Amino acid sequence: MNDYPHLLEPLDLGFTTLKNRVIMGSMHVGLEEAPNGFERMAAFYAERARGGVGLIVTGGIAPNPEGATFSGSAKLTTDEEVAEHRLITEAVHREGGRIAMQILHTGRYAFSEESVSASAIQAPISPFVPHALTEEEIERTIEDFARCAELAQRAGYDGVEVMGSEGYLINQFIAPATNKREDRWGGSFENRIRLPLEILHRVRERVGTDFILIYRLSMLDLVPDGSTFDEVVELGRRVGGGPAGTDIINTGIGWHEARVPTIATSVPRGAYTWITERLKKELSVPLVAVNRINTPEVAERIIADGQADMVSLARPMLADADFVAKAAAGVPEEINTCIGCNQACLDHTFSLKITSCLVNPRACHETELVLSPTKTRKNVAVVGAGPAGLAFSVSAASIGHSVTLFDAAAEIGGQLNMARRVPGKEEFDETLRYYRVQLDKHGVDVRLNTPVTAVDLAGYDEVVIATGVTPRTPRIPGVDHPSVVGYVDVLRGGAEVGEKVAIIGAGGIGFDVAEFLTDTGEEASQAPEVFFRQWGVDLDYEERGGLRAPERIAPPRKVHLLQRKTSKVGKDLGKTTGWIHRLELRHRGVEMIAGAEYRRIDDEGLHLTVDGEDRVLDVDTIVLCAGQDPRRDLADALITAGRTVHVIGGADVAAELDAKRAIKQGTELAAAL
């Protein structure tokens, strides 16, 4: 008897059976356009198939050039492209897996002057005004979807997913917000849903009945003038029966332009399954729950409680290709859990970089970052149990090296122990749990509360220095005033902080400290009902798009967030999550000040000049978040003594608190050792 009987139960679709209830959700990973990208995608998807996932859905593939994400991005329109896709399907099938291709027409979200839509209405996240499709062009687009599905079948895919959500082309026809047409493709609800029904009908005609057809239905648009709940139900019924005949309905939550977080780590786990549960009472087709489902326990509960028939795990499959296999083997504690940070996945995707994963840098780099068993076992000392040291130690030990890990602190984690105290970043607890398990599994000799000197490291074949960073103290007259504390004192030391606060430094740490200090206590509970109330999601679904007025509780402190640079405060935060942090702090009344010149600190407060005007901030506490310097004393001592050392993480480059770079660097060093 396994611990996840519902999650691991096969799903009978009639003509075929999926081996469990887990879908690897669609993600564009950037390999679609990269040199040798299809060979690399074949390795990426094959590893997930080997890891036991029931069905893989690829990143979005355009059915025609104007539907592509940007000029030259992935499409499937020719026989030559079919041959490339066969590399993927054959690799997945060799591992006993199933894979469907997502057909995605981006519509007005295309980053191109050739973008098209239902109406010529510019998206707030695009610089281009789309061309409104003519009736002839709509007919051609329907045919392009059908042709694309036919080519996917020829390429060996087990099915296709038609993308009808997230504010892409089909969604743009469905919602009144973006469809202002007055012909048979607009106006009434019947006319607005004509496009998805025609596409699905034509696709089913072309591929036959023994081919998995998934429709991704936008169940909650989260934009003004989106669909109503009744419209979603009716479209779901029409999609699941009759000529459309889809086998599975996947869930879409929120358009890309929506101002409500849907997948960031601040979203409670499984928060949006309420809408799938509500739809499940109305529909007979298997439904898929999505968004922030990152542990087998959460996934099992969703299916066991009847909220959905399947779960979609996208980013968790980046974090750990063996998610399903580990759950099935009864070792869920070994799963490398997705923390929902978006830093190496979505941020990369929207910056046109190849996707990876902060906690698993091998994701999408399986053919390049290879951890092969070592031929020469070395005795390795690692100093520093932060993310860089942990990643190296686990990776090096897993391939056969003898590793001793030293840290002067009483616990592993380094700066992660501060990050995990920030509301919305509690998922770092999972990262530390994963490393504790892996250190034990691979026999790393962990020595905490153990400061070391160069002499202590004399007998090792290799020495890795991952001693992290030292917070920087800016040169401001009065910086030694009793009102001044460092971010470490606040996040780890429990320093007393007054009700009026100035934060010097508005990088990632400054934002974290601001969120920590303005937390009302409700946020930390991660209760879905609190999250939805604060962000204005209507759980009664009485308004179009499922929106309502946000409700906020007054924060416990008045905070000023300051930076020297004149650029927008928070400009360098992650592309897909920065807006959330900025909006959250605005909701909490945080004053963000750019171009601040710090003059002095005294009993009156913080004296500064902004735009040529002198100001005094009457504050009780001033928190320094003014950057870091590498902690290299030990490394320099070893180098002076003639030792060869490897310096990684913050000790190498102190750029913010960059766990992504630290873990990647540690893993790469282990592979090269």
Side-chain angles (χ1 to χ4, degrees):
M1 181 68 180
N2 65 65
D3 293 330
Y4 312 105
H6 298 86
L7 185 67
L8 300 175
E9 182 184 7
L11 179 65
D12 185 0
L13 296 178
F15 62 93
T16 190
T17 300
L18 301 179
K19 59 186 174 184
N20 55 54
R21 302 303 180 96
V22 182
I23 287 181
M24 175 180 169
S26 174
M27 294 174 287
H28 187 93
V29 296
L31 292 173
E32 294 87 348
E33 295 82 27
N36 301 314
F38 279 82
E39 290 87 346
R40 293 175 63 181
M41 276 194 293
F44 168 67
Y45 287 125
E47 192 163 305
R48 274 76 195 161
R50 192 160 56 249
V53 65
L55 178 66
I56 295 168
V57 180
T58 71
I61 304 295
N64 53 34
E66 61 269 25
T69 307
F70 55 89
S71 180
S73 68
K75 60 183 178 60
L76 180 55
T77 59
T78 67
D79 290 330
E80 290 75 22
E81 290 161 341
V82 165
E84 291 183 317
H85 284 267
R86 280 206 187 99
L87 295 173
I88 294 173
T89 59
E90 290 173 359
V92 168
H93 291 154
R94 279 195 298 271
E95 299 296 341
R98 301 283 188 86
I99 185 165
M101 190 192 82
Q102 186 188 79
I103 307 177
L104 167 66
H105 193 303
T106 53
R108 70 176 191 160
Y109 283 167
F111 195 78
S112 167
E113 293 181 350
E114 307 302 316
S115 64
V116 300
S117 187
S119 301
I121 302 172
Q122 184 177 356
I125 58 174
S126 172
F128 305 107
V129 177
H131 158 70
L133 289 167
T134 66
E135 290 209 49
E136 182 181 352
E137 289 167 337
I138 291 171
E139 175 56 38
R140 189 165 67 243
T141 299
I142 295 168
E143 175 57 28
D144 289 340
F145 269 89
R147 166 78 171 158
C148 187
E150 181 182 14
L151 292 174
Q153 187 177 43
R154 199 183 306 167
Y157 286 104
D158 300 287
V160 293
E161 176 177 83
V162 174
M163 179 51 143
S165 66
E166 264 76 1
Y168 291 116
L169 179 75
I170 292 175
N171 220 168
Q172 292 160 27
F173 270 81
I174 295 168
T178 43
N179 187 341
K180 305 300 183 183
R181 303 178 71 96
E182 297 179 353
D183 57 11
R184 69 192 194 99
W185 302 97
S188 69
F189 172 67
E190 189 70 26
N191 285 349
R192 286 185 280 110
I193 66 170
R194 191 184 305 277
L195 182 66
L197 296 178
E198 288 287 340
I199 287 172
L200 292 169
H201 182 197
R202 193 82 58 88
V203 166
R204 179 57 85 193
E205 279 187 334
R206 200 67 59 90
V207 299
T209 55
D210 295 344
F211 190 69
I212 301 170
L213 179 54
I214 308 167
Y215 180 69
R216 185 142 177 181
L217 172 67
S218 185
M219 297 190 187
L220 191 66
D221 290 338
L222 297 178
V223 294
D225 216 13
S227 294
T228 66
F229 176 73
D230 288 342
E231 288 175 344
V232 172
V233 170
E234 181 58 26
L235 179 55
R237 287 174 177 156
R238 303 276 286 275
V239 160
T246 56
D247 302 295
I248 297 170
I249 293 179
N250 203 350
T251 301
I253 301 292
W255 292 26
H256 286 308
E257 64 202 69
R259 307 308 287 172
V260 177
T262 56
I263 60 173
T265 190
S266 57
V267 178
R269 291 178 177 178
Y272 286 99
T273 54
W274 66 271
I275 187 60
T276 315
E277 180 178 22
R278 193 164 168 183
L279 262 291
K280 196 171 185 300
K281 297 172 183 175
E282 308 287 345
L283 307 179
S284 57
V285 175
L287 297 186
V288 184
V290 300
N291 291 23
R292 289 286 286 127
I293 303 167
N294 65 343
T295 71
E297 290 77 19
V298 173
E300 171 69 16
R301 174 182 54 76
I302 289 167
I303 299 174
D305 290 352
Q307 294 181 298
D309 301 286
M310 301 187 76
V311 291
S312 175
L313 310 180
R315 295 170 303 164
M317 290 297 168
L318 291 173
D320 198 326
D322 294 321
F323 182 105
V324 178
K326 289 176 179 178
V331 287
E333 68 277 5
E334 292 190 15
I335 293 174
N336 196 1
T337 304
C338 167
I339 61 173
C341 69
N342 293 351
Q343 291 180 32
C345 51
L346 288 174
D347 283 353
H348 279 209
T349 300
F350 285 104
S351 299
L352 303 184
K353 298 177 183 177
I354 292 173
T355 290
S356 188
C357 177
L358 182 146
V359 300
N360 176 25
R362 288 193 64 251
C364 297
H365 296 75
E366 288 78 9
T367 61
E368 299 178 337
L369 183 47
V370 181
L371 292 169
S372 301
T374 183
K375 296 178 181 177
T376 306
R377 180 179 172 86
K378 293 183 177 182
N379 193 19
V380 186
V382 183
V383 184
L390 291 170
F392 172 82
S393 298
V394 167
S395 298
S398 73
I399 60 177
H401 295 295
S402 174
V403 180
T404 303
L405 175 61
F406 299 93
D407 200 293
E411 59 184 347
I412 67 167
Q415 305 266 353
L416 293 182
N417 287 304
M418 287 186 293
R420 68 191 183 93
R421 295 199 64 202
V422 177
K425 291 194 172 183
E426 297 89 349
E427 293 287 16
F428 275 118
D429 286 341
E430 299 290 351
T431 303
L432 293 177
R433 179 265 311 151
Y434 170 76
Y435 278 123
R436 288 189 201 99
V437 170
Q438 294 299 312
L439 290 169
D440 181 63
K441 177 180 179 179
H442 296 295
V444 176
D445 182 3
V446 180
R447 302 184 187 180
L448 301 175
N449 297 306
T450 309
V452 293
T453 65
V455 174
D456 299 320
L457 302 172
Y460 292 91
D461 301 321
E462 303 279 355
V463 175
V464 177
I465 302 299
T467 43
V469 298
T470 300
R472 185 181 302 142
T473 301
R475 295 180 179 178
I476 303 172
V479 76
D480 57 350
H481 191 273
S483 63
V484 178
V485 296
Y487 68 84
V488 176
D489 303 317
V490 173
L491 294 177
R492 292 200 72 178
E496 282 194 29
V497 178
E499 294 181 0
K500 297 175 290 183
V501 182
I503 299 173
I504 293 178
I509 300 168
F511 269 80
D512 280 352
V513 170
E515 294 195 32
F516 179 79
L517 293 177
T518 56
D519 176 41
T520 64
E522 278 201 324
E523 293 89 340
S525 70
Q526 286 283 287
E529 61 273 13
V530 174
F531 172 84
F532 290 132
R533 188 173 70 243
Q534 292 180 339
W535 284 97
V537 177
D538 180 12
L539 295 177
D540 294 323
Y541 214 147
E542 294 177 343
E543 299 293 330
R544 283 193 173 275
L547 292 176
R548 55 179 287 183
E551 298 177 21
R552 291 280 169 169
I553 297 174
R557 296 180 176 89
K558 173 60 183 176
V559 172
H560 310 270
L561 183 59
L562 315 168
Q563 69 177 28
R564 292 184 189 272
K565 294 185 293 186
T566 57
S567 56
K568 180 180 180 181
V569 176
K571 174 179 174 291
D572 295 328
L573 297 177
K575 192 174 182 69
T576 60
T577 55
W579 68 270
I580 300 173
H581 297 301
R582 288 190 294 270
L583 189 55
E584 179 66 55
L585 292 189
R586 279 201 291 273
H587 286 159
R588 299 182 186 186
V590 173
E591 182 187 17
M592 302 183 199
I593 302 174
E597 178 186 341
Y598 310 115
R599 292 187 289 118
R600 69 179 183 277
I601 299 168
D602 57 24
D603 290 345
E604 292 183 37
L606 176 60
H607 297 253
L608 66 159
T609 301
V610 182
D611 295 331
E613 179 183 342
D614 292 343
R615 292 182 59 181
V616 180
L617 296 181
D618 175 20
V619 292
D620 310 308
T621 308
I622 298 165
V623 185
L624 301 180
C625 303
Q628 305 83 28
D629 295 310
R631 185 180 289 137
R632 292 183 55 100
D633 294 354
L634 180 57
D636 292 341
L638 288 163
I639 292 169
T640 300
R643 292 294 302 274
T644 298
V645 298
H646 307 277
V647 184
I648 60 175
D652 178 36
V653 178
E656 281 288 332
L657 299 183
D658 194 348
K660 178 180 74 170
R661 182 179 54 79
I663 292 173
K664 181 173 184 285
Q665 199 174 21
T667 308
E668 289 175 337
L669 176 60
L673 196 64

